[in-house]
Coordinates of all heavy atoms in Angstrom, one line a residue:
M1 N 0.8 -1.2 0.0 CA 0.0 0.0 0.0 C 0.9 1.2 0.0 O 1.9 1.3 0.7 CB -0.9 0.0 1.2 CG -1.7 1.2 1.4 SD -3.4 0.8 1.0 CE -4.1 2.4 1.0
V2 N 0.5 2.2 -0.7 CA 1.2 3.5 -0.8 C 0.8 4.4 0.3 O -0.3 4.4 0.7 CB 0.9 4.2 -2.2 CG1 1.7 5.5 -2.3 CG2 1.3 3.2 -3.3
S3 N 1.8 5.0 0.9 CA 1.5 5.9 2.0 C 0.7 7.1 1.5 O 0.7 7.4 0.3 CB 2.8 6.4 2.7 OG 3.5 7.2 1.8
P4 N -0.1 7.8 2.4 CA -0.9 8.9 2.0 C -0.1 10.0 1.3 O -0.6 10.6 0.4 CB -1.5 9.4 3.3 CG -1.4 8.3 4.3 CD -0.2 7.5 3.8
K5 N 1.1 10.2 1.7 CA 1.9 11.3 1.0 C 2.7 10.7 -0.1 O 3.3 11.4 -0.9 CB 2.9 11.9 2.0 CG 2.3 12.7 3.1 CD 3.3 13.4 3.9 CE 2.6 14.3 4.9 NZ 3.5 15.1 5.7
G6 N 2.7 9.4 -0.3 CA 3.4 8.7 -1.4 C 2.6 8.9 -2.7 O 1.5 9.4 -2.8
Y7 N 3.3 8.5 -3.8 CA 2.7 8.6 -5.1 C 2.8 7.3 -5.8 O 3.9 6.6 -5.8 CB 3.5 9.7 -5.8 CG 3.3 9.8 -7.3 CD1 2.0 10.1 -7.7 CD2 4.3 9.7 -8.2 CE1 1.7 10.2 -9.1 CE2 4.0 9.8 -9.6 CZ 2.8 10.1 -10.0 OH 2.5 10.2 -11.3
L8 N 1.8 6.8 -6.4 CA 1.7 5.5 -7.1 C 2.8 5.4 -8.2 O 3.3 4.4 -8.4 CB 0.3 5.3 -7.6 CG 0.1 3.9 -8.2 CD1 0.3 2.8 -7.1 CD2 -1.3 3.8 -8.7
G9 N 3.0 6.6 -8.8 CA 4.1 6.6 -9.9 C 5.4 6.2 -9.4 O 6.2 5.6 -10.1
D10 N 5.7 6.6 -8.1 CA 7.0 6.3 -7.5 C 7.1 4.8 -7.3 O 8.2 4.2 -7.6 CB 7.2 7.0 -6.2 CG 7.3 8.5 -6.3 OD1 7.8 8.9 -7.4 OD2 7.0 9.2 -5.4
L11 N 6.0 4.2 -6.9 CA 6.0 2.7 -6.7 C 6.2 2.0 -8.1 O 6.9 1.0 -8.2 CB 4.7 2.3 -6.1 CG 4.5 0.8 -5.7 CD1 5.6 0.4 -4.7 CD2 3.1 0.6 -5.2
L12 N 5.5 2.5 -9.1 CA 5.6 1.9 -10.4 C 7.1 2.0 -10.9 O 7.6 1.1 -11.5 CB 4.7 2.6 -11.4 CG 3.2 2.2 -11.3 CD1 2.4 3.1 -12.2 CD2 3.0 0.8 -11.7
R13 N 7.7 3.1 -10.7 CA 9.0 3.4 -11.2 C 10.0 2.4 -10.5 O 10.9 1.9 -11.1 CB 9.4 4.8 -10.9 CG 10.7 5.3 -11.5 CD 11.0 6.8 -11.4 NE 10.0 7.6 -12.2 CZ 9.1 8.3 -11.6 NH1 8.9 8.5 -10.3 NH2 8.3 9.0 -12.4
E14 N 9.8 2.3 -9.2 CA 10.7 1.4 -8.4 C 10.5 -0.1 -8.7 O 11.5 -0.8 -8.9 CB 10.5 1.6 -6.9 CG 11.0 2.9 -6.4 CD 10.7 3.1 -4.9 OE1 10.2 2.2 -4.3 OE2 10.8 4.3 -4.5
A15 N 9.3 -0.5 -8.8 CA 9.0 -1.9 -9.0 C 9.2 -2.4 -10.4 O 9.8 -3.5 -10.6 CB 7.5 -2.2 -8.5
G16 N 8.7 -1.7 -11.4 CA 8.8 -2.2 -12.7 C 9.5 -1.4 -13.7 O 9.5 -1.7 -14.9
G17 N 10.1 -0.3 -13.3 CA 10.8 0.6 -14.2 C 9.9 1.3 -15.2 O 10.3 1.8 -16.2
I18 N 8.6 1.5 -14.8 CA 7.6 2.2 -15.6 C 7.6 3.6 -15.2 O 7.5 3.9 -14.0 CB 6.2 1.5 -15.4 CG1 6.2 0.1 -15.8 CG2 5.1 2.3 -16.2 CD1 4.9 -0.7 -15.4
V19 N 7.7 4.5 -16.1 CA 7.7 5.9 -15.8 C 6.4 6.5 -16.4 O 6.3 6.8 -17.6 CB 8.9 6.7 -16.5 CG1 8.9 8.1 -16.1 CG2 10.2 6.0 -16.0
P20 N 5.4 6.8 -15.5 CA 4.2 7.4 -16.0 C 4.4 8.9 -16.3 O 5.1 9.6 -15.7 CB 3.2 7.2 -14.8 CG 4.1 7.1 -13.6 CD 5.4 6.5 -14.1
M21 N 3.7 9.3 -17.4 CA 3.7 10.7 -17.8 C 2.4 11.3 -17.4 O 1.4 11.3 -18.2 CB 4.1 10.9 -19.2 CG 5.5 10.4 -19.6 SD 5.9 10.7 -21.3 CE 6.1 12.4 -21.2
V22 N 2.2 11.9 -16.3 CA 1.0 12.4 -15.7 C 0.8 13.8 -16.1 O 1.8 14.6 -15.9 CB 0.9 12.2 -14.2 CG1 -0.4 12.6 -13.7 CG2 1.1 10.7 -13.9
I23 N -0.3 14.2 -16.5 CA -0.6 15.6 -16.8 C -1.1 16.2 -15.5 O -2.1 15.8 -14.9 CB -1.6 15.8 -17.9 CG1 -1.1 15.2 -19.2 CG2 -2.0 17.3 -18.1 CD1 -2.1 15.2 -20.3
R24 N -0.4 17.2 -14.9 CA -0.6 17.7 -13.6 C -1.1 19.2 -13.7 O -1.0 19.9 -14.7 CB 0.6 17.7 -12.8 CG 1.2 16.4 -12.6 CD 2.5 16.5 -11.7 NE 3.1 15.2 -11.6 CZ 2.7 14.2 -10.8 NH1 1.7 14.4 -10.1 NH2 3.4 13.1 -10.8
R25 N -1.7 19.6 -12.6 CA -2.1 21.0 -12.5 C -0.9 21.9 -12.2 O 0.1 21.4 -11.7 CB -3.1 21.2 -11.3 CG -4.3 20.3 -11.5 CD -5.2 20.3 -10.3 NE -6.5 20.9 -10.6 CZ -7.3 21.3 -9.7 NH1 -7.1 21.2 -8.5 NH2 -8.5 21.7 -10.1
R26 N -1.0 23.1 -12.5 CA 0.1 24.0 -12.3 C 0.5 24.2 -10.8 O 1.7 24.4 -10.5 CB -0.2 25.4 -12.8 CG -0.1 25.4 -14.3 CD -0.2 26.8 -14.8 NE -0.4 26.9 -16.3 CZ 0.7 26.9 -17.1 NH1 1.9 27.0 -16.6 NH2 0.5 26.9 -18.4
N27 N -0.4 24.0 -9.9 CA -0.1 24.2 -8.5 C 0.4 22.9 -7.8 O 0.6 22.9 -6.6 CB -1.3 24.7 -7.7 CG -2.5 23.8 -7.8 OD1 -2.5 22.8 -8.4 ND2 -3.6 24.2 -7.1
S28 N 0.7 21.9 -8.6 CA 1.2 20.6 -8.1 C 2.7 20.8 -7.8 O 3.4 21.5 -8.4 CB 1.0 19.5 -9.1 OG 1.7 18.3 -8.7
R29 N 3.1 20.1 -6.7 CA 4.5 20.2 -6.3 C 5.4 19.5 -7.4 O 6.6 19.8 -7.5 CB 4.8 19.5 -5.0 CG 4.2 20.3 -3.9 CD 4.5 19.7 -2.6 NE 3.9 20.4 -1.5 CZ 3.9 20.1 -0.2 NH1 4.5 18.9 0.1 NH2 3.4 20.8 0.7
R30 N 4.9 18.6 -8.1 CA 5.7 17.8 -9.1 C 5.5 18.3 -10.5 O 5.8 17.7 -11.5 CB 5.3 16.3 -9.0 CG 5.7 15.7 -7.7 CD 5.2 14.2 -7.8 NE 5.5 13.6 -6.5 CZ 6.3 12.5 -6.4 NH1 6.9 12.1 -7.5 NH2 6.5 12.0 -5.3
Y31 N 5.0 19.5 -10.6 CA 4.7 20.1 -12.0 C 6.1 20.6 -12.6 O 6.8 21.4 -12.0 CB 3.8 21.3 -11.8 CG 3.5 22.0 -13.2 CD1 2.6 21.5 -14.0 CD2 4.2 23.2 -13.5 CE1 2.4 22.1 -15.3 CE2 4.0 23.8 -14.7 CZ 3.0 23.3 -15.6 OH 2.8 23.9 -16.8
V32 N 6.4 20.0 -13.7 CA 7.6 20.4 -14.5 C 7.1 20.7 -15.9 O 6.6 19.9 -16.6 CB 8.6 19.2 -14.5 CG1 9.8 19.6 -15.3 CG2 9.0 18.8 -13.1
P33 N 7.2 22.0 -16.3 CA 6.6 22.4 -17.6 C 7.0 21.6 -18.8 O 6.2 21.2 -19.6 CB 7.1 23.9 -17.7 CG 7.4 24.3 -16.3 CD 7.9 23.1 -15.6
W34 N 8.3 21.3 -19.0 CA 8.7 20.5 -20.2 C 8.2 19.1 -20.2 O 7.9 18.5 -21.2 CB 10.2 20.6 -20.4 CG 11.0 20.0 -19.4 CD1 11.5 20.6 -18.2 CD2 11.5 18.6 -19.3 NE1 12.2 19.7 -17.5 CE2 12.2 18.5 -18.1 CE3 11.4 17.5 -20.2 CZ2 12.9 17.3 -17.8 CZ3 12.0 16.4 -19.8 CH2 12.7 16.2 -18.6
L35 N 8.1 18.5 -19.0 CA 7.5 17.1 -18.9 C 6.0 17.2 -19.2 O 5.4 16.3 -19.8 CB 7.7 16.5 -17.5 CG 9.1 15.9 -17.3 CD1 9.2 15.4 -15.8 CD2 9.3 14.8 -18.2
Q36 N 5.3 18.3 -18.8 CA 3.9 18.4 -19.1 C 3.7 18.5 -20.6 O 2.7 18.0 -21.1 CB 3.3 19.7 -18.3 CG 3.3 19.5 -16.8 CD 2.6 18.3 -16.4 OE1 1.4 18.1 -16.6 NE2 3.3 17.4 -15.7
Y37 N 4.5 19.3 -21.2 CA 4.4 19.4 -22.7 C 4.5 18.0 -23.4 O 3.7 17.7 -24.2 CB 5.5 20.4 -23.2 CG 5.5 20.5 -24.7 CD1 4.5 21.2 -25.4 CD2 6.5 19.8 -25.4 CE1 4.5 21.3 -26.8 CE2 6.5 19.9 -26.8 CZ 5.5 20.6 -27.5 OH 5.5 20.6 -28.8
L38 N 5.5 17.2 -22.9 CA 5.7 15.9 -23.5 C 4.5 15.0 -23.3 O 4.1 14.2 -24.1 CB 7.0 15.3 -23.0 CG 8.3 15.9 -23.5 CD1 9.5 15.2 -22.8 CD2 8.4 15.8 -25.0
A39 N 4.0 15.1 -22.0 CA 2.8 14.3 -21.7 C 1.6 14.7 -22.5 O 0.8 13.8 -23.0 CB 2.5 14.4 -20.2
I40 N 1.4 16.0 -22.8 CA 0.2 16.4 -23.5 C 0.4 16.0 -25.0 O -0.6 15.6 -25.6 CB 0.1 18.0 -23.4 CG1 -0.4 18.3 -22.0 CG2 -0.9 18.5 -24.4 CD1 -0.3 19.8 -21.6
V41 N 1.6 16.2 -25.6 CA 1.8 15.8 -27.0 C 1.6 14.3 -27.1 O 1.0 13.8 -28.1 CB 3.2 16.2 -27.4 CG1 3.6 15.6 -28.8 CG2 3.3 17.7 -27.5
G42 N 2.2 13.5 -26.2 CA 2.0 12.0 -26.3 C 0.5 11.6 -26.1 O 0.1 10.7 -26.8
R43 N -0.2 12.3 -25.3 CA -1.6 11.9 -25.1 C -2.4 12.3 -26.3 O -3.3 11.6 -26.7 CB -2.1 12.7 -23.9 CG -3.6 12.4 -23.6 CD -4.0 13.1 -22.3 NE -5.4 12.7 -22.0 CZ -5.9 13.0 -20.9 NH1 -5.3 13.6 -19.9 NH2 -7.2 12.6 -20.6
R44 N -2.1 13.4 -27.0 CA -2.7 13.8 -28.2 C -2.6 12.7 -29.3 O -3.5 12.4 -30.0 CB -2.2 15.1 -28.7 CG -3.0 15.7 -29.8 CD -2.5 17.1 -30.3 NE -2.3 18.0 -29.2 CZ -1.3 18.8 -29.0 NH1 -0.3 18.8 -29.9 NH2 -1.2 19.6 -28.0
V45 N -1.4 12.2 -29.4 CA -1.1 11.1 -30.4 C -1.9 9.9 -30.1 O -2.6 9.3 -31.0 CB 0.4 10.8 -30.5 CG1 0.7 9.6 -31.3 CG2 1.2 12.0 -31.0
V46 N -1.9 9.5 -28.9 CA -2.6 8.3 -28.5 C -4.1 8.4 -28.7 O -4.8 7.5 -29.2 CB -2.3 7.9 -27.0 CG1 -3.3 6.8 -26.5 CG2 -0.9 7.5 -26.8
E47 N -4.7 9.6 -28.3 CA -6.1 9.8 -28.5 C -6.5 9.9 -30.0 O -7.6 9.4 -30.4 CB -6.5 11.0 -27.8 CG -6.5 10.8 -26.3 CD -7.1 12.0 -25.5 OE1 -7.5 13.0 -26.1 OE2 -7.1 11.9 -24.2
T48 N -5.6 10.4 -30.8 CA -5.9 10.5 -32.3 C -5.9 9.1 -32.9 O -6.8 8.8 -33.6 CB -4.8 11.4 -33.0 OG1 -4.8 12.7 -32.4 CG2 -5.1 11.5 -34.4
V49 N -4.9 8.3 -32.6 CA -4.9 6.9 -33.1 C -6.1 6.2 -32.6 O -6.7 5.4 -33.3 CB -3.6 6.2 -32.7 CG1 -3.6 4.8 -33.1 CG2 -2.4 6.9 -33.4
G50 N -6.5 6.3 -31.3 CA -7.6 5.7 -30.8 C -8.9 6.0 -31.5 O -9.7 5.2 -31.8
S51 N -9.1 7.3 -31.8 CA -10.3 7.7 -32.5 C -10.3 7.2 -33.9 O -11.4 6.9 -34.5 CB -10.4 9.2 -32.4 OG -9.4 9.9 -33.1
M52 N -9.1 7.2 -34.5 CA -9.1 6.7 -35.9 C -9.4 5.2 -36.0 O -10.1 4.7 -36.9 CB -7.7 6.9 -36.5 CG -7.4 8.3 -36.8 SD -5.7 8.6 -37.2 CE -5.7 8.1 -38.9
L53 N -9.0 4.4 -35.0 CA -9.3 3.0 -34.9 C -10.8 2.8 -34.6 O -11.5 2.0 -35.1 CB -8.5 2.3 -33.8 CG -7.0 2.0 -34.2 CD1 -6.3 1.4 -33.0 CD2 -7.0 1.0 -35.3
H54 N -11.3 3.7 -33.7 CA -12.7 3.6 -33.4 C -13.6 3.8 -34.6 O -14.7 3.2 -34.7 CB -13.0 4.6 -32.3 CG -14.4 4.5 -31.7 ND1 -15.5 4.9 -32.4 CD2 -14.9 4.1 -30.5 CE1 -16.6 4.7 -31.7 NE2 -16.2 4.2 -30.5
A55 N -13.2 4.7 -35.5 CA -14.0 5.0 -36.7 C -14.0 3.8 -37.6 O -15.0 3.6 -38.3 CB -13.4 6.2 -37.4
L56 N -13.0 2.9 -37.6 CA -13.0 1.7 -38.4 C -13.9 0.6 -37.9 O -14.4 -0.2 -38.6 CB -11.6 1.2 -38.6 CG -10.6 1.9 -39.5 CD1 -9.3 1.3 -39.5 CD2 -11.2 1.9 -40.9
F57 N -14.0 0.5 -36.6 CA -14.8 -0.6 -35.9 C -16.3 -0.5 -36.3 O -16.8 0.6 -36.3 CB -14.6 -0.5 -34.4 CG -13.3 -1.1 -33.9 CD1 -12.2 -0.3 -33.8 CD2 -13.2 -2.5 -33.6 CE1 -11.0 -0.9 -33.4 CE2 -12.1 -3.0 -33.2 CZ -10.9 -2.2 -33.0
P58 N -16.9 -1.6 -36.5 CA -18.3 -1.6 -36.6 C -19.0 -1.3 -35.2 O -18.3 -1.2 -34.2 CB -18.7 -3.0 -37.1 CG -17.6 -3.8 -36.6 CD -16.3 -2.9 -36.6
R59 N -20.3 -1.2 -35.2 CA -21.0 -0.9 -34.0 C -20.8 -2.0 -33.0 O -20.6 -1.8 -31.8 CB -22.4 -0.6 -34.3 CG -23.1 0.0 -33.1 CD -24.5 0.5 -33.6 NE -24.9 1.6 -32.8 CZ -25.9 2.3 -33.1 NH1 -26.7 2.0 -34.0 NH2 -26.2 3.3 -32.3
R60 N -20.8 -3.2 -33.5 CA -20.6 -4.4 -32.6 C -19.6 -5.3 -33.3 O -19.6 -5.4 -34.5 CB -21.9 -5.1 -32.4 CG -22.9 -4.4 -31.6 CD -24.1 -5.3 -31.3 NE -25.1 -4.5 -30.6 CZ -26.4 -4.9 -30.5 NH1 -26.8 -6.0 -31.0 NH2 -27.2 -4.2 -29.8
I61 N -18.9 -6.0 -32.5 CA -18.0 -7.1 -33.0 C -18.6 -8.4 -32.5 O -18.6 -8.7 -31.3 CB -16.6 -6.9 -32.4 CG1 -16.0 -5.6 -32.9 CG2 -15.7 -8.1 -32.9 CD1 -14.6 -5.2 -32.3
H62 N -19.1 -9.2 -33.4 CA -19.7 -10.5 -33.1 C -18.6 -11.5 -33.1 O -18.1 -11.8 -34.1 CB -20.8 -10.8 -34.0 CG -21.4 -12.2 -33.7 ND1 -22.3 -12.3 -32.6 CD2 -21.3 -13.4 -34.3 CE1 -22.6 -13.6 -32.5 NE2 -22.1 -14.2 -33.5
A63 N -18.3 -12.1 -31.9 CA -17.4 -13.2 -31.9 C -17.9 -14.2 -30.8 O -18.4 -13.8 -29.8 CB -16.0 -12.7 -31.5
V64 N -17.7 -15.5 -31.1 CA -18.2 -16.5 -30.2 C -17.1 -16.8 -29.2 O -17.4 -17.0 -28.0 CB -18.6 -17.8 -31.0 CG1 -19.0 -18.9 -30.1 CG2 -19.7 -17.4 -32.0
T65 N -15.9 -16.8 -29.6 CA -14.8 -17.1 -28.6 C -13.9 -15.9 -28.4 O -13.9 -14.9 -29.2 CB -13.9 -18.2 -29.2 OG1 -13.3 -17.8 -30.4 CG2 -14.7 -19.5 -29.5
Q66 N -13.1 -15.9 -27.4 CA -12.2 -14.9 -27.1 C -11.1 -14.8 -28.2 O -10.7 -13.6 -28.6 CB -11.5 -15.1 -25.8 CG -10.6 -14.0 -25.4 CD -10.0 -14.2 -24.0 OE1 -10.3 -15.2 -23.3 NE2 -9.2 -13.3 -23.5
E67 N -10.7 -15.9 -28.8 CA -9.7 -15.9 -29.9 C -10.3 -15.2 -31.1 O -9.6 -14.5 -31.8 CB -9.2 -17.3 -30.2 CG -8.4 -17.9 -29.1 CD -9.2 -18.5 -28.0 OE1 -10.4 -18.7 -28.1 OE2 -8.6 -18.8 -26.9
G68 N -11.5 -15.5 -31.4 CA -12.2 -14.8 -32.5 C -12.3 -13.3 -32.4 O -12.1 -12.6 -33.3
F69 N -12.6 -12.9 -31.1 CA -12.6 -11.4 -30.9 C -11.2 -10.8 -31.1 O -11.1 -9.8 -31.7 CB -13.1 -11.2 -29.4 CG -13.1 -9.8 -29.0 CD1 -14.2 -9.0 -29.5 CD2 -12.1 -9.2 -28.3 CE1 -14.2 -7.6 -29.1 CE2 -12.2 -7.9 -27.9 CZ -13.2 -7.1 -28.3
V70 N -10.2 -11.5 -30.6 CA -8.8 -10.9 -30.7 C -8.5 -10.9 -32.2 O -7.9 -9.9 -32.6 CB -7.8 -11.8 -29.9 CG1 -6.4 -11.4 -30.2 CG2 -8.1 -11.6 -28.4
I71 N -8.8 -11.9 -33.0 CA -8.5 -11.9 -34.4 C -9.2 -10.7 -35.1 O -8.6 -10.0 -35.9 CB -8.9 -13.3 -35.0 CG1 -7.9 -14.3 -34.6 CG2 -8.9 -13.2 -36.6 CD1 -8.3 -15.7 -35.0
K72 N -10.4 -10.5 -34.8 CA -11.2 -9.4 -35.4 C -10.6 -8.0 -35.0 O -10.4 -7.2 -35.9 CB -12.6 -9.4 -35.0 CG -13.4 -10.6 -35.7 CD -14.8 -10.5 -35.5 CE -15.5 -11.6 -36.3 NZ -17.0 -11.5 -36.2
V73 N -10.2 -7.8 -33.8 CA -9.6 -6.6 -33.3 C -8.3 -6.4 -34.0 O -8.0 -5.3 -34.5 CB -9.5 -6.5 -31.8 CG1 -8.7 -5.3 -31.4 CG2 -10.9 -6.4 -31.2
L74 N -7.5 -7.4 -34.1 CA -6.2 -7.3 -34.7 C -6.3 -7.0 -36.2 O -5.5 -6.3 -36.8 CB -5.3 -8.6 -34.5 CG -4.8 -8.8 -33.1 CD1 -4.0 -10.1 -33.0 CD2 -3.8 -7.6 -32.7
S75 N -7.3 -7.6 -36.8 CA -7.5 -7.3 -38.3 C -7.9 -5.9 -38.5 O -7.5 -5.2 -39.5 CB -8.6 -8.3 -38.9 OG -9.8 -8.0 -38.3
F76 N -8.7 -5.3 -37.6 CA -9.0 -3.8 -37.7 C -7.8 -3.0 -37.5 O -7.6 -2.0 -38.3 CB -10.1 -3.4 -36.7 CG -11.5 -3.9 -37.1 CD1 -12.2 -4.8 -36.3 CD2 -12.1 -3.4 -38.2 CE1 -13.4 -5.2 -36.7 CE2 -13.4 -3.8 -38.6 CZ -14.0 -4.7 -37.8
I77 N -6.9 -3.3 -36.6 CA -5.7 -2.6 -36.4 C -4.8 -2.7 -37.7 O -4.2 -1.7 -38.1 CB -5.0 -3.0 -35.1 CG1 -5.8 -2.7 -33.9 CG2 -3.6 -2.4 -35.0 CD1 -5.3 -3.2 -32.6
L78 N -4.7 -3.9 -38.2 CA -3.9 -4.1 -39.4 C -4.5 -3.3 -40.6 O -3.8 -2.7 -41.4 CB -3.9 -5.6 -39.8 CG -3.1 -6.0 -41.0 CD1 -1.6 -5.6 -40.9 CD2 -3.3 -7.5 -41.4
A79 N -5.8 -3.3 -40.7 CA -6.5 -2.5 -41.8 C -6.2 -1.0 -41.6 O -5.9 -0.3 -42.6 CB -8.0 -2.7 -41.8
H80 N -6.2 -0.6 -40.4 CA -5.8 0.9 -40.1 C -4.4 1.2 -40.5 O -4.1 2.2 -41.2 CB -6.0 1.1 -38.6 CG -5.4 2.4 -38.2 ND1 -6.0 3.6 -38.5 CD2 -4.3 2.7 -37.4 CE1 -5.3 4.6 -38.0 NE2 -4.3 4.1 -37.3
N81 N -3.5 0.3 -40.2 CA -2.1 0.5 -40.5 C -1.9 0.4 -42.0 O -1.1 1.2 -42.6 CB -1.2 -0.5 -39.8 CG -1.0 -0.2 -38.4 OD1 -1.3 0.9 -37.9 ND2 -0.7 -1.3 -37.6
L82 N -2.5 -0.5 -42.7 CA -2.4 -0.6 -44.2 C -3.0 0.7 -44.8 O -2.5 1.2 -45.8 CB -3.1 -1.8 -44.7 CG -2.4 -3.1 -44.4 CD1 -3.2 -4.3 -44.8 CD2 -1.0 -3.2 -45.0
N83 N -4.1 1.2 -44.3 CA -4.7 2.4 -44.8 C -3.8 3.6 -44.7 O -3.6 4.4 -45.6 CB -6.1 2.6 -44.1 CG -6.8 3.8 -44.7 OD1 -6.6 4.2 -45.8 ND2 -7.8 4.3 -43.9
L84 N -3.2 3.7 -43.5 CA -2.2 4.8 -43.3 C -1.0 4.7 -44.3 O -0.5 5.6 -44.9 CB -1.7 4.8 -41.9 CG -2.7 5.4 -40.9 CD1 -2.0 5.3 -39.5 CD2 -3.1 6.8 -41.2
L85 N -0.5 3.4 -44.5 CA 0.6 3.2 -45.4 C 0.2 3.6 -46.8 O 1.0 4.2 -47.5 CB 1.0 1.7 -45.3 CG 2.2 1.3 -46.1 CD1 3.5 2.1 -45.6 CD2 2.4 -0.2 -46.0
A86 N -1.0 3.2 -47.2 CA -1.4 3.5 -48.6 C -1.6 5.0 -48.8 O -1.2 5.5 -49.8 CB -2.8 2.8 -48.9
Q87 N -2.1 5.7 -47.8 CA -2.2 7.1 -47.9 C -0.9 7.8 -48.0 O -0.7 8.8 -48.7 CB -3.0 7.7 -46.7 CG -4.4 7.4 -46.7 CD -5.1 7.9 -45.4 OE1 -4.5 8.5 -44.6 NE2 -6.4 7.7 -45.3
Q88 N 0.1 7.3 -47.2 CA 1.5 7.8 -47.3 C 2.1 7.6 -48.6 O 2.8 8.5 -49.1 CB 2.3 7.2 -46.1 CG 3.3 8.1 -45.5 CD 3.9 7.4 -44.3 OE1 4.1 6.2 -44.3 NE2 4.3 8.2 -43.4
M89 N 1.9 6.5 -49.2 CA 2.5 6.2 -50.5 C 1.9 7.0 -51.6 O 2.6 7.3 -52.6 CB 2.4 4.7 -50.8 CG 3.3 3.8 -49.8 SD 3.1 2.1 -50.1 CE 4.0 1.8 -51.6
L90 N 0.6 7.2 -51.5 CA -0.1 7.9 -52.6 C 0.0 9.4 -52.5 O -0.1 10.1 -53.5 CB -1.6 7.6 -52.6 CG -1.9 6.1 -53.0 CD1 -3.4 5.8 -52.9 CD2 -1.4 5.8 -54.4
G91 N 0.2 9.9 -51.3 CA 0.2 11.4 -51.2 C 1.1 11.8 -50.2 O 1.7 12.8 -50.0

């Protein structure tokens, strides 16, 4: 358990070498402007890709097994990547 004054990110960093990029408020003690900029830019990229993938997905994914669901999701991701590659090659 993390102490009340502790930070879960510190625990992640020590235990697994994971460095979270948290977007903080300006009055936070751990606010570092250049790290905030990197976190915001990274988050923008992740959300853009997520919304592009969401646009390719149908309203429902019908799968009987977990493996079938994974195959369908991976095929949508592959289709997204191929679409981006084709757009890059054409224009």
Side-chain angles (χ1 to χ4, degrees):
M1 174 104 190
V2 179
S3 67
K5 291 188 178 184
Y7 170 58
L8 187 59
D10 294 335
L11 183 63
L12 286 171
R13 191 174 289 113
E14 290 174 10
I18 300 170
V19 181
M21 295 185 71
V22 181
I23 298 175
R24 301 181 185 282
R25 301 171 120 192
R26 287 189 187 269
N27 61 355
S28 173
R29 290 183 180 174
R30 294 178 182 244
Y31 179 79
V32 180
W34 62 272
L35 278 177
Q36 293 305 298
Y37 175 76
L38 291 177
I40 290 169
V41 169
R43 182 175 183 166
R44 188 178 310 138
V45 169
V46 168
E47 289 185 3
T48 300
V49 170
S51 66
M52 291 171 77
L53 284 173
H54 187 286
L56 283 178
F57 279 90
R59 194 169 211 176
R60 290 186 184 165
I61 299 175
H62 178 75
V64 178
T65 63
Q66 185 175 358
E67 291 81 14
F69 178 78
V70 170
I71 288 172
K72 287 186 177 188
V73 170
L74 287 177
S75 66
F76 283 114
I77 293 172
L78 179 63
H80 168 72
N81 288 337
L82 290 175
N83 188 15
L84 287 179
L85 183 64
Q87 287 177 0
Q88 213 172 32
M89 291 176 75
L90 295 175

